[in-house]
Amino acid sequence: MQRSLTPGGTAEEPTKWIPSDSYIFDYSTGDHMIDVICGARPNFMKVDPIIKNTDPSVEIRLIHTGQHYDHIMSQSFFDDLDLPRPDVNLEVGSASITEQTATIMQRYENVFLERRPKAIVVVGDVNSTLACALVAVRYGVPIIHVEAGLRSFDRHMPEEINRVLTDQIANLLLITSTEARDNLLAEGRQSEMIKLVGNPMIDTLLRLLPSAMDSGSPPPDEPYALVTLHRPSNVDNPERLGAVLDALGNLEGLRILFPAHPRTLRNMDEWNLNIPERLSIVKPMSYLDFIRCEVDASVVITDSGGVQEETSVLGVPCVTVRTSTERPVTLEIGTNVLCPDTSLIPEAAAKQIASRPDSPPVIPMWDGKSGKRIAAAIENYTGGTR
Ligand code: UDP
């Protein structure tokens, strides 16, 4: 493996690692197989269009780390999306971030050494993303990061750490929107490693929207807000989570449908928090049911990254209960607004509802064709079956 280093970086021009051509194609012990990694709920809709658009002559080994393992957080997506069964399940389960990352690394290394892929594809920003990338980089196997370059600039978020570190060691950086390129360049990544491919999660949304409208469970027949919350900053502190629940109880004229993440449910139970009367707290929903409910919601209140994107494409008003977002395009088009102050959530929701767009906005390359572009970029980079 050869690498060249641009020595003597400065603040303006940081030191850059440049993979040489020989590095890209130096997988001498490698196979013609590509590992595609998934592990948690938001990964499944991102790997689906990659797998479905990759030429059948390219062998894919689908690795599920088992970071999410409940039927409703994992298998139900394989069913709804018609995703192939994973070739390997590392069955890591719940644990602290450190233990989960370390266990995935250990277990993936075993699988990896049994049969070494010629490249690995990681998506998003979950612990599985970074853990598997760390294994591949140790063996000089190229890493392709899909959804690279998103930045909240909030390093308290575990996902931000996963994003920054994965992007530092990835060899091909596939981005969903233009600001990601600036973020990556500012961190010293090379322009020629970066390719705008659009948003694969939106491929899955657009593909399954008709099925969701046909077969998703019908939403409430009165105006409602759909709520999802699972970020540690909102749900890992009883005062904060209690304040969010109180604010939701103050939303005028809306029923609140809250499919709560297992982590959020566990904390609400443990702290015995007061649940305002108009809140219907239910288990996490299947993908089709959730999309169905997103479409008809008066407003969506969330701290999810993917939900900010989906509501933007659907033209559904969204309030994000966070200080920052790594998806600024959703703010620019106006479907989404940040509202970290819980007491202001009802006001922000009312404003968003009043300014609902007449038709869904168009975001460049969020067009249902990202899977094709990603598959082409991967094949181009790895040389297909060569
Ligand atoms: N989602 C779902 N059921 C739910 C809540 C969310 O299917 O009850 C889907 C949602 O449509 C989106 C994805 O889960 O596609 C977002 O995942 P999550 O919020 O867990 O992760 P993030 O996007 O914040 O990383």
Side-chain angles (χ1 to χ4, degrees), residues 40-43 45-46 68 72-73 77 125-126 159 163 201 205 227-228 230-231 259-261 283-291 294 302-310 322 326-327:
R41 177 167 73 182
N43 295 162
M45 21 328 232
K46 295 170 195 171
H68 280 164
I72 196 61
M73 296 297 284
F77 293 93
D125 54 22
V126 299
E159 297 86 353
R163 291 180 198 120
M201 194 174 218
L205 174 69
V227 176
T228 77
H230 65 281
R231 298 258 102 82
H261 190 278
K283 295 215 162 93
M285 289 181 178
S286 75
Y287 184 69
L288 294 182
D289 287 350
F290 187 79
I291 295 297
E294 261 182 325
T302 193
D303 57 16
S304 157
V307 172
Q308 293 173 61
E309 298 181 333
E310 289 168 350
R322 285 174 44 188
E326 58 291 325
R327 274 100 171 162

mmCIF file of all heavy atoms in Angstrom, residues 40-43 45-46 68 72-73 77 125-126 159 163 201 205 227-228 230-231 259-261 283-291 294 302-310 322 326-327, ligand 1:
data_model
loop_
_atom_site.group_PDB
_atom_site.id
_atom_site.type_symbol
_atom_site.label_atom_id
_atom_site.label_comp_id
_atom_site.label_asym_id
_atom_site.label_seq_id
_atom_site.Cartn_x
_atom_site.Cartn_y
_atom_site.Cartn_z
ATOM 1 N N ALA A 40 -28.547 -0.173 12.108
ATOM 2 C CA ALA A 40 -29.580 0.496 12.892
ATOM 3 C C ALA A 40 -30.664 1.042 11.960
ATOM 4 O O ALA A 40 -30.432 1.181 10.753
ATOM 5 C CB ALA A 40 -28.956 1.636 13.696
ATOM 6 N N ARG A 41 -31.815 1.356 12.537
ATOM 7 C CA ARG A 41 -33.006 1.737 11.758
ATOM 8 C C ARG A 41 -32.724 2.656 10.575
ATOM 9 O O ARG A 41 -33.158 2.342 9.455
ATOM 10 C CB ARG A 41 -34.045 2.356 12.704
ATOM 11 C CG ARG A 41 -35.284 2.843 11.997
ATOM 12 C CD ARG A 41 -36.412 3.157 12.958
ATOM 13 N NE ARG A 41 -36.188 4.376 13.720
ATOM 14 C CZ ARG A 41 -37.013 4.842 14.664
ATOM 15 N NH1 ARG A 41 -38.110 4.165 14.970
ATOM 16 N NH2 ARG A 41 -36.733 5.953 15.313
ATOM 17 N N PRO A 42 -32.021 3.787 10.766
ATOM 18 C CA PRO A 42 -31.894 4.687 9.604
ATOM 19 C C PRO A 42 -30.980 4.146 8.508
ATOM 20 O O PRO A 42 -30.908 4.732 7.427
ATOM 21 C CB PRO A 42 -31.300 5.964 10.211
ATOM 22 C CG PRO A 42 -30.630 5.525 11.455
ATOM 23 C CD PRO A 42 -31.404 4.344 11.974
ATOM 24 N N ASN A 43 -30.274 3.040 8.756
ATOM 25 C CA ASN A 43 -29.374 2.492 7.722
ATOM 26 C C ASN A 43 -30.122 1.710 6.652
ATOM 27 O O ASN A 43 -29.682 1.659 5.493
ATOM 28 C CB ASN A 43 -28.357 1.520 8.325
ATOM 29 C CG ASN A 43 -27.384 2.158 9.282
ATOM 30 O OD1 ASN A 43 -26.746 1.460 10.064
ATOM 31 N ND2 ASN A 43 -27.245 3.481 9.252
ATOM 32 N N MET A 45 -32.972 1.967 5.050
ATOM 33 C CA MET A 45 -33.497 2.648 3.855
ATOM 34 C C MET A 45 -32.378 3.254 3.011
ATOM 35 O O MET A 45 -32.605 3.627 1.869
ATOM 36 C CB MET A 45 -34.573 3.694 4.124
ATOM 37 C CG MET A 45 -34.795 4.363 5.425
ATOM 38 S SD MET A 45 -34.450 3.483 6.873
ATOM 39 C CE MET A 45 -35.910 3.638 7.797
ATOM 40 N N LYS A 46 -31.171 3.370 3.577
ATOM 41 C CA LYS A 46 -30.057 3.909 2.780
ATOM 42 C C LYS A 46 -29.341 2.795 2.000
ATOM 43 O O LYS A 46 -28.897 3.019 0.874
ATOM 44 C CB LYS A 46 -29.057 4.640 3.693
ATOM 45 C CG LYS A 46 -29.678 5.879 4.347
ATOM 46 C CD LYS A 46 -28.809 6.501 5.432
ATOM 47 C CE LYS A 46 -29.637 7.464 6.268
ATOM 48 N NZ LYS A 46 -28.933 7.947 7.467
ATOM 49 N N HIS A 68 -29.376 -2.487 16.077
ATOM 50 C CA HIS A 68 -30.812 -2.590 16.374
ATOM 51 C C HIS A 68 -31.227 -4.018 16.076
ATOM 52 O O HIS A 68 -30.824 -4.588 15.060
ATOM 53 C CB HIS A 68 -31.625 -1.607 15.523
ATOM 54 C CG HIS A 68 -31.602 -0.203 16.067
ATOM 55 N ND1 HIS A 68 -31.983 0.897 15.338
ATOM 56 C CD2 HIS A 68 -31.234 0.276 17.291
ATOM 57 C CE1 HIS A 68 -31.855 1.995 16.080
ATOM 58 N NE2 HIS A 68 -31.389 1.649 17.264
ATOM 59 N N ILE A 72 -39.293 -4.673 15.359
ATOM 60 C CA ILE A 72 -39.828 -3.414 14.838
ATOM 61 C C ILE A 72 -38.722 -2.412 14.496
ATOM 62 O O ILE A 72 -38.945 -1.474 13.729
ATOM 63 C CB ILE A 72 -40.865 -2.815 15.825
ATOM 64 C CG1 ILE A 72 -41.711 -1.736 15.154
ATOM 65 C CG2 ILE A 72 -40.201 -2.312 17.091
ATOM 66 C CD1 ILE A 72 -42.522 -2.179 13.982
ATOM 67 N N MET A 73 -37.518 -2.593 15.031
ATOM 68 C CA MET A 73 -36.410 -1.677 14.707
ATOM 69 C C MET A 73 -35.499 -2.262 13.631
ATOM 70 O O MET A 73 -34.574 -1.600 13.178
ATOM 71 C CB MET A 73 -35.570 -1.397 15.962
ATOM 72 C CG MET A 73 -36.299 -0.682 17.065
ATOM 73 S SD MET A 73 -36.857 0.975 16.602
ATOM 74 C CE MET A 73 -35.337 1.917 16.681
ATOM 75 N N PHE A 77 -38.175 -3.663 8.717
ATOM 76 C CA PHE A 77 -37.686 -2.877 7.568
ATOM 77 C C PHE A 77 -37.248 -3.794 6.425
ATOM 78 O O PHE A 77 -37.466 -3.477 5.264
ATOM 79 C CB PHE A 77 -36.532 -1.953 7.992
ATOM 80 C CG PHE A 77 -37.013 -0.882 8.928
ATOM 81 C CD1 PHE A 77 -36.962 -1.065 10.300
ATOM 82 C CD2 PHE A 77 -37.578 0.278 8.438
ATOM 83 C CE1 PHE A 77 -37.454 -0.112 11.167
ATOM 84 C CE2 PHE A 77 -38.076 1.242 9.300
ATOM 85 C CZ PHE A 77 -38.016 1.047 10.669
ATOM 86 N N ASP A 125 -24.233 7.606 10.128
ATOM 87 C CA ASP A 125 -23.424 8.093 11.249
ATOM 88 C C ASP A 125 -23.603 7.293 12.534
ATOM 89 O O ASP A 125 -23.401 7.810 13.618
ATOM 90 C CB ASP A 125 -23.810 9.560 11.513
ATOM 91 C CG ASP A 125 -25.321 9.720 11.730
ATOM 92 O OD1 ASP A 125 -25.976 8.731 12.082
ATOM 93 O OD2 ASP A 125 -25.837 10.843 11.542
ATOM 94 N N VAL A 126 -24.014 6.026 12.398
ATOM 95 C CA VAL A 126 -24.242 5.255 13.630
ATOM 96 C C VAL A 126 -22.939 4.589 14.078
ATOM 97 O O VAL A 126 -21.924 4.652 13.383
ATOM 98 C CB VAL A 126 -25.385 4.221 13.433
ATOM 99 C CG1 VAL A 126 -26.690 4.927 13.076
ATOM 100 C CG2 VAL A 126 -25.037 3.185 12.368
ATOM 101 N N GLU A 159 -23.198 10.993 17.078
ATOM 102 C CA GLU A 159 -23.250 10.825 15.610
ATOM 103 C C GLU A 159 -22.254 11.746 14.916
ATOM 104 O O GLU A 159 -21.718 11.403 13.869
ATOM 105 C CB GLU A 159 -24.658 11.130 15.068
ATOM 106 C CG GLU A 159 -25.749 10.217 15.573
ATOM 107 C CD GLU A 159 -26.344 10.661 16.903
ATOM 108 O OE1 GLU A 159 -25.829 11.613 17.526
ATOM 109 O OE2 GLU A 159 -27.336 10.040 17.332
ATOM 110 N N ARG A 163 -19.423 10.698 12.298
ATOM 111 C CA ARG A 163 -19.327 11.283 10.950
ATOM 112 C C ARG A 163 -17.913 11.790 10.659
ATOM 113 O O ARG A 163 -17.322 11.485 9.626
ATOM 114 C CB ARG A 163 -20.248 12.506 10.830
ATOM 115 C CG ARG A 163 -21.703 12.202 10.845
ATOM 116 C CD ARG A 163 -22.485 13.539 10.709
ATOM 117 N NE ARG A 163 -23.831 13.312 11.151
ATOM 118 C CZ ARG A 163 -24.427 13.941 12.158
ATOM 119 N NH1 ARG A 163 -23.817 14.902 12.822
ATOM 120 N NH2 ARG A 163 -25.649 13.633 12.499
ATOM 121 N N MET A 201 -31.892 7.800 0.975
ATOM 122 C CA MET A 201 -33.075 7.591 1.824
ATOM 123 C C MET A 201 -34.346 8.045 1.091
ATOM 124 O O MET A 201 -35.429 7.488 1.269
ATOM 125 C CB MET A 201 -32.884 8.409 3.102
ATOM 126 C CG MET A 201 -33.827 8.036 4.196
ATOM 127 S SD MET A 201 -33.386 8.953 5.674
ATOM 128 C CE MET A 201 -33.670 7.717 6.901
ATOM 129 N N LEU A 205 -38.006 6.373 0.107
ATOM 130 C CA LEU A 205 -39.269 7.066 0.383
ATOM 131 C C LEU A 205 -40.136 7.116 -0.882
ATOM 132 O O LEU A 205 -41.320 6.757 -0.858
ATOM 133 C CB LEU A 205 -38.974 8.486 0.884
ATOM 134 C CG LEU A 205 -40.196 9.388 1.069
ATOM 135 C CD1 LEU A 205 -41.057 8.906 2.233
ATOM 136 C CD2 LEU A 205 -39.778 10.843 1.310
ATOM 137 N N VAL A 227 -44.717 12.736 16.326
ATOM 138 C CA VAL A 227 -43.515 13.067 17.112
ATOM 139 C C VAL A 227 -42.535 11.889 17.120
ATOM 140 O O VAL A 227 -42.958 10.740 17.288
ATOM 141 C CB VAL A 227 -43.914 13.403 18.572
ATOM 142 C CG1 VAL A 227 -42.678 13.660 19.433
ATOM 143 C CG2 VAL A 227 -44.848 14.611 18.607
ATOM 144 N N THR A 228 -41.229 12.166 16.879
ATOM 145 C CA THR A 228 -40.200 11.164 17.187
ATOM 146 C C THR A 228 -39.059 11.863 17.916
ATOM 147 O O THR A 228 -38.663 12.966 17.546
ATOM 148 C CB THR A 228 -39.587 10.479 15.933
ATOM 149 O OG1 THR A 228 -38.650 11.361 15.307
ATOM 150 C CG2 THR A 228 -40.620 10.053 14.923
ATOM 151 N N HIS A 230 -35.287 10.747 19.942
ATOM 152 C CA HIS A 230 -34.390 9.731 20.498
ATOM 153 C C HIS A 230 -32.973 10.218 20.751
ATOM 154 O O HIS A 230 -32.125 9.477 21.209
ATOM 155 C CB HIS A 230 -34.349 8.487 19.598
ATOM 156 C CG HIS A 230 -33.745 8.737 18.246
ATOM 157 N ND1 HIS A 230 -34.435 9.340 17.233
ATOM 158 C CD2 HIS A 230 -32.512 8.459 17.746
ATOM 159 C CE1 HIS A 230 -33.655 9.429 16.163
ATOM 160 N NE2 HIS A 230 -32.477 8.906 16.448
ATOM 161 N N ARG A 231 -32.698 11.509 20.469
ATOM 162 C CA ARG A 231 -31.321 11.993 20.676
ATOM 163 C C ARG A 231 -31.058 12.089 22.179
ATOM 164 O O ARG A 231 -31.924 12.562 22.944
ATOM 165 C CB ARG A 231 -31.128 13.383 20.050
ATOM 166 C CG ARG A 231 -31.331 13.397 18.548
ATOM 167 C CD ARG A 231 -29.993 13.428 17.795
ATOM 168 N NE ARG A 231 -29.609 12.155 17.260
ATOM 169 C CZ ARG A 231 -30.041 11.624 16.101
ATOM 170 N NH1 ARG A 231 -30.897 12.234 15.334
ATOM 171 N NH2 ARG A 231 -29.604 10.446 15.717
ATOM 172 N N PRO A 259 -44.798 7.743 18.204
ATOM 173 C CA PRO A 259 -44.175 6.412 18.198
ATOM 174 C C PRO A 259 -42.786 6.524 18.819
ATOM 175 O O PRO A 259 -41.871 7.049 18.193
ATOM 176 C CB PRO A 259 -44.106 6.043 16.706
ATOM 177 C CG PRO A 259 -44.297 7.306 15.951
ATOM 178 C CD PRO A 259 -44.809 8.372 16.869
ATOM 179 N N ALA A 260 -42.664 6.063 20.037
ATOM 180 C CA ALA A 260 -41.443 6.366 20.805
ATOM 181 C C ALA A 260 -40.381 5.300 20.592
ATOM 182 O O ALA A 260 -40.659 4.091 20.629
ATOM 183 C CB ALA A 260 -41.788 6.521 22.282
ATOM 184 N N HIS A 261 -39.181 5.763 20.374
ATOM 185 C CA HIS A 261 -37.974 4.930 20.235
ATOM 186 C C HIS A 261 -37.813 4.109 21.530
ATOM 187 O O HIS A 261 -38.141 4.604 22.609
ATOM 188 C CB HIS A 261 -36.809 5.898 20.045
ATOM 189 C CG HIS A 261 -35.528 5.279 19.650
ATOM 190 N ND1 HIS A 261 -34.664 4.690 20.550
ATOM 191 C CD2 HIS A 261 -34.928 5.166 18.437
ATOM 192 C CE1 HIS A 261 -33.590 4.249 19.908
ATOM 193 N NE2 HIS A 261 -33.731 4.524 18.618
ATOM 194 N N LYS A 283 -45.620 2.198 20.322
ATOM 195 C CA LYS A 283 -44.304 1.609 20.003
ATOM 196 C C LYS A 283 -43.799 2.203 18.683
ATOM 197 O O LYS A 283 -44.593 2.757 17.910
ATOM 198 C CB LYS A 283 -44.465 0.104 19.852
ATOM 199 C CG LYS A 283 -44.867 -0.576 21.152
ATOM 200 C CD LYS A 283 -44.211 -1.944 21.225
ATOM 201 C CE LYS A 283 -44.202 -2.456 22.637
ATOM 202 N NZ LYS A 283 -45.331 -3.289 22.979
ATOM 203 N N PRO A 284 -42.498 2.054 18.373
ATOM 204 C CA PRO A 284 -42.012 2.508 17.058
ATOM 205 C C PRO A 284 -42.866 1.880 15.961
ATOM 206 O O PRO A 284 -43.372 0.765 16.114
ATOM 207 C CB PRO A 284 -40.579 1.959 16.996
ATOM 208 C CG PRO A 284 -40.193 1.700 18.403
ATOM 209 C CD PRO A 284 -41.438 1.393 19.165
ATOM 210 N N MET A 285 -43.026 2.611 14.868
ATOM 211 C CA MET A 285 -43.877 2.118 13.779
ATOM 212 C C MET A 285 -43.039 1.444 12.702
ATOM 213 O O MET A 285 -41.863 1.776 12.527
ATOM 214 C CB MET A 285 -44.602 3.292 13.128
ATOM 215 C CG MET A 285 -45.669 3.888 13.994
ATOM 216 S SD MET A 285 -46.432 5.233 13.055
ATOM 217 C CE MET A 285 -47.673 5.722 14.234
ATOM 218 N N SER A 286 -43.689 0.591 11.947
ATOM 219 C CA SER A 286 -43.028 0.035 10.762
ATOM 220 C C SER A 286 -42.823 1.184 9.774
ATOM 221 O O SER A 286 -43.463 2.237 9.886
ATOM 222 C CB SER A 286 -43.902 -1.044 10.130
ATOM 223 O OG SER A 286 -44.971 -0.416 9.454
ATOM 224 N N TYR A 287 -41.970 0.978 8.802
ATOM 225 C CA TYR A 287 -41.658 2.046 7.843
ATOM 226 C C TYR A 287 -42.913 2.506 7.107
ATOM 227 O O TYR A 287 -43.196 3.705 7.029
ATOM 228 C CB TYR A 287 -40.592 1.533 6.858
ATOM 229 C CG TYR A 287 -40.116 2.582 5.891
ATOM 230 C CD1 TYR A 287 -39.351 3.659 6.321
ATOM 231 C CD2 TYR A 287 -40.437 2.493 4.540
ATOM 232 C CE1 TYR A 287 -38.900 4.621 5.430
ATOM 233 C CE2 TYR A 287 -39.982 3.457 3.641
ATOM 234 C CZ TYR A 287 -39.222 4.516 4.094
ATOM 235 O OH TYR A 287 -38.792 5.471 3.216
ATOM 236 N N LEU A 288 -43.686 1.558 6.575
ATOM 237 C CA LEU A 288 -44.856 1.955 5.779
ATOM 238 C C LEU A 288 -45.868 2.710 6.644
ATOM 239 O O LEU A 288 -46.450 3.704 6.210
ATOM 240 C CB LEU A 288 -45.510 0.731 5.128
ATOM 241 C CG LEU A 288 -44.664 0.004 4.076
ATOM 242 C CD1 LEU A 288 -45.435 -1.168 3.468
ATOM 243 C CD2 LEU A 288 -44.199 0.952 2.967
ATOM 244 N N ASP A 289 -46.074 2.239 7.867
ATOM 245 C CA ASP A 289 -47.024 2.930 8.756
ATOM 246 C C ASP A 289 -46.526 4.341 9.078
ATOM 247 O O ASP A 289 -47.301 5.302 9.114
ATOM 248 C CB ASP A 289 -47.197 2.153 10.072
ATOM 249 C CG ASP A 289 -48.005 0.882 9.876
ATOM 250 O OD1 ASP A 289 -48.587 0.710 8.789
ATOM 251 O OD2 ASP A 289 -48.059 0.064 10.815
ATOM 252 N N PHE A 290 -45.224 4.461 9.311
ATOM 253 C CA PHE A 290 -44.689 5.762 9.698
ATOM 254 C C PHE A 290 -44.782 6.763 8.535
ATOM 255 O O PHE A 290 -45.193 7.912 8.722
ATOM 256 C CB PHE A 290 -43.234 5.626 10.176
ATOM 257 C CG PHE A 290 -42.704 6.906 10.749
ATOM 258 C CD1 PHE A 290 -43.033 7.297 12.041
ATOM 259 C CD2 PHE A 290 -41.894 7.757 9.994
ATOM 260 C CE1 PHE A 290 -42.566 8.506 12.567
ATOM 261 C CE2 PHE A 290 -41.427 8.956 10.514
ATOM 262 C CZ PHE A 290 -41.762 9.322 11.808
ATOM 263 N N ILE A 291 -44.425 6.295 7.331
ATOM 264 C CA ILE A 291 -44.495 7.187 6.163
ATOM 265 C C ILE A 291 -45.937 7.641 5.947
ATOM 266 O O ILE A 291 -46.211 8.816 5.674
ATOM 267 C CB ILE A 291 -43.960 6.458 4.902
ATOM 268 C CG1 ILE A 291 -42.472 6.134 5.059
ATOM 269 C CG2 ILE A 291 -44.208 7.277 3.637
ATOM 270 C CD1 ILE A 291 -41.561 7.314 5.200
ATOM 271 N N GLU A 294 -46.609 10.307 8.351
ATOM 272 C CA GLU A 294 -45.888 11.547 8.030
ATOM 273 C C GLU A 294 -46.677 12.360 6.995
ATOM 274 O O GLU A 294 -46.819 13.575 7.130
ATOM 275 C CB GLU A 294 -44.506 11.220 7.424
ATOM 276 C CG GLU A 294 -43.366 11.303 8.396
ATOM 277 C CD GLU A 294 -42.014 11.016 7.745
ATOM 278 O OE1 GLU A 294 -41.930 10.180 6.829
ATOM 279 O OE2 GLU A 294 -41.038 11.618 8.168
ATOM 280 N N THR A 302 -39.615 16.521 15.848
ATOM 281 C CA THR A 302 -38.631 15.437 15.805
ATOM 282 C C THR A 302 -37.257 15.900 16.232
ATOM 283 O O THR A 302 -36.990 17.111 16.307
ATOM 284 C CB THR A 302 -38.559 14.884 14.351
ATOM 285 O OG1 THR A 302 -37.844 13.662 14.336
ATOM 286 C CG2 THR A 302 -37.876 15.847 13.397
ATOM 287 N N ASP A 303 -36.374 14.935 16.499
ATOM 288 C CA ASP A 303 -34.943 15.238 16.546
ATOM 289 C C ASP A 303 -34.180 14.286 15.622
ATOM 290 O O ASP A 303 -32.962 14.188 15.697
ATOM 291 C CB ASP A 303 -34.396 15.193 17.982
ATOM 292 C CG ASP A 303 -34.638 13.867 18.680
ATOM 293 O OD1 ASP A 303 -34.953 12.864 18.002
ATOM 294 O OD2 ASP A 303 -34.500 13.832 19.923
ATOM 295 N N SER A 304 -34.912 13.620 14.753
ATOM 296 C CA SER A 304 -34.315 12.659 13.821
ATOM 297 C C SER A 304 -33.732 13.367 12.606
ATOM 298 O O SER A 304 -34.332 14.314 12.093
ATOM 299 C CB SER A 304 -35.408 11.683 13.375
ATOM 300 O OG SER A 304 -35.082 11.098 12.131
ATOM 301 N N GLY A 305 -32.608 12.865 12.132
ATOM 302 C CA GLY A 305 -32.038 13.415 10.902
ATOM 303 C C GLY A 305 -32.866 13.028 9.692
ATOM 304 O O GLY A 305 -33.263 13.879 8.888
ATOM 305 N N GLY A 306 -33.150 11.742 9.575
ATOM 306 C CA GLY A 306 -33.876 11.247 8.407
ATOM 307 C C GLY A 306 -35.278 11.826 8.303
ATOM 308 O O GLY A 306 -35.751 12.121 7.193
ATOM 309 N N VAL A 307 -35.928 12.026 9.427
ATOM 310 C CA VAL A 307 -37.300 12.551 9.391
ATOM 311 C C VAL A 307 -37.307 14.009 8.912
ATOM 312 O O VAL A 307 -38.215 14.428 8.184
ATOM 313 C CB VAL A 307 -37.982 12.367 10.777
ATOM 314 C CG1 VAL A 307 -39.321 13.071 10.831
ATOM 315 C CG2 VAL A 307 -38.147 10.880 11.089
ATOM 316 N N GLN A 308 -36.271 14.768 9.248
ATOM 317 C CA GLN A 308 -36.170 16.141 8.702
ATOM 318 C C GLN A 308 -36.115 16.108 7.172
ATOM 319 O O GLN A 308 -36.692 16.951 6.492
ATOM 320 C CB GLN A 308 -34.904 16.832 9.208
ATOM 321 C CG GLN A 308 -34.886 17.116 10.694
ATOM 322 C CD GLN A 308 -33.505 17.637 11.103
ATOM 323 O OE1 GLN A 308 -33.054 18.673 10.639
ATOM 324 N NE2 GLN A 308 -32.839 16.921 11.981
ATOM 325 N N GLU A 309 -35.393 15.105 6.649
ATOM 326 C CA GLU A 309 -35.258 15.004 5.184
ATOM 327 C C GLU A 309 -36.568 14.556 4.545
ATOM 328 O O GLU A 309 -37.004 15.119 3.532
ATOM 329 C CB GLU A 309 -34.150 14.009 4.835
ATOM 330 C CG GLU A 309 -32.801 14.443 5.347
ATOM 331 C CD GLU A 309 -31.674 13.483 4.987
ATOM 332 O OE1 GLU A 309 -31.937 12.273 4.806
ATOM 333 O OE2 GLU A 309 -30.534 13.935 4.906
ATOM 334 N N GLU A 310 -37.178 13.535 5.126
ATOM 335 C CA GLU A 310 -38.414 13.003 4.529
ATOM 336 C C GLU A 310 -39.524 14.055 4.521
ATOM 337 O O GLU A 310 -40.224 14.225 3.519
ATOM 338 C CB GLU A 310 -38.876 11.760 5.309
ATOM 339 C CG GLU A 310 -37.978 10.562 5.079
ATOM 340 C CD GLU A 310 -38.224 9.408 6.039
ATOM 341 O OE1 GLU A 310 -38.984 9.581 7.030
ATOM 342 O OE2 GLU A 310 -37.649 8.332 5.836
ATOM 343 N N ARG A 322 -33.805 20.726 18.412
ATOM 344 C CA ARG A 322 -32.352 20.660 18.552
ATOM 345 C C ARG A 322 -31.775 22.051 18.331
ATOM 346 O O ARG A 322 -32.434 22.919 17.764
ATOM 347 C CB ARG A 322 -31.752 19.704 17.489
ATOM 348 C CG ARG A 322 -31.977 18.247 17.795
ATOM 349 C CD ARG A 322 -31.518 17.331 16.684
ATOM 350 N NE ARG A 322 -30.233 17.695 16.133
ATOM 351 C CZ ARG A 322 -29.709 17.121 15.047
ATOM 352 N NH1 ARG A 322 -30.365 16.163 14.412
ATOM 353 N NH2 ARG A 322 -28.543 17.511 14.589
ATOM 354 N N GLU A 326 -27.548 18.892 10.911
ATOM 355 C CA GLU A 326 -26.542 18.572 9.887
ATOM 356 C C GLU A 326 -27.190 18.558 8.507
ATOM 357 O O GLU A 326 -26.529 18.258 7.520
ATOM 358 C CB GLU A 326 -25.864 17.229 10.211
ATOM 359 C CG GLU A 326 -26.782 16.015 10.327
ATOM 360 C CD GLU A 326 -27.692 16.065 11.538
ATOM 361 O OE1 GLU A 326 -27.268 16.581 12.588
ATOM 362 O OE2 GLU A 326 -28.850 15.619 11.422
ATOM 363 N N ARG A 327 -28.490 18.877 8.464
ATOM 364 C CA ARG A 327 -29.223 18.907 7.182
ATOM 365 C C ARG A 327 -29.725 20.331 6.907
ATOM 366 O O ARG A 327 -30.935 20.585 6.916
ATOM 367 C CB ARG A 327 -30.412 17.959 7.242
ATOM 368 C CG ARG A 327 -30.074 16.522 6.888
ATOM 369 C CD ARG A 327 -29.904 15.628 8.046
ATOM 370 N NE ARG A 327 -29.792 14.237 7.612
ATOM 371 C CZ ARG A 327 -29.304 13.259 8.359
ATOM 372 N NH1 ARG A 327 -28.879 13.511 9.587
ATOM 373 N NH2 ARG A 327 -29.235 12.037 7.909
HETATM 374 N N1 UDP B 1 -39.062 5.664 11.215
HETATM 375 C C1 UDP B 1 -39.892 4.547 11.209
HETATM 376 N N2 UDP B 1 -40.691 4.332 12.294
HETATM 377 C C2 UDP B 1 -40.738 5.174 13.361
HETATM 378 C C3 UDP B 1 -39.891 6.324 13.347
HETATM 379 C C4 UDP B 1 -39.052 6.530 12.269
HETATM 380 O O1 UDP B 1 -39.903 3.770 10.252
HETATM 381 O O2 UDP B 1 -41.487 4.916 14.306
HETATM 382 C C5 UDP B 1 -38.158 5.869 10.058
HETATM 383 C C6 UDP B 1 -38.289 7.213 9.366
HETATM 384 O O3 UDP B 1 -39.266 7.173 8.338
HETATM 385 C C7 UDP B 1 -36.890 7.408 8.792
HETATM 386 C C8 UDP B 1 -35.982 6.698 9.783
HETATM 387 O O4 UDP B 1 -36.836 5.857 10.557
HETATM 388 O O5 UDP B 1 -36.788 6.757 7.529
HETATM 389 C C9 UDP B 1 -35.243 7.648 10.671
HETATM 390 O O6 UDP B 1 -34.528 6.921 11.611
HETATM 391 P P1 UDP B 1 -34.088 7.501 13.031
HETATM 392 O O7 UDP B 1 -34.924 8.669 13.372
HETATM 393 O O8 UDP B 1 -34.062 6.338 13.977
HETATM 394 O O9 UDP B 1 -32.571 7.906 12.808
HETATM 395 P P2 UDP B 1 -31.847 9.245 12.332
HETATM 396 O O10 UDP B 1 -32.403 9.589 10.982
HETATM 397 O O11 UDP B 1 -32.080 10.288 13.354
HETATM 398 O O12 UDP B 1 -30.417 8.862 12.256
#
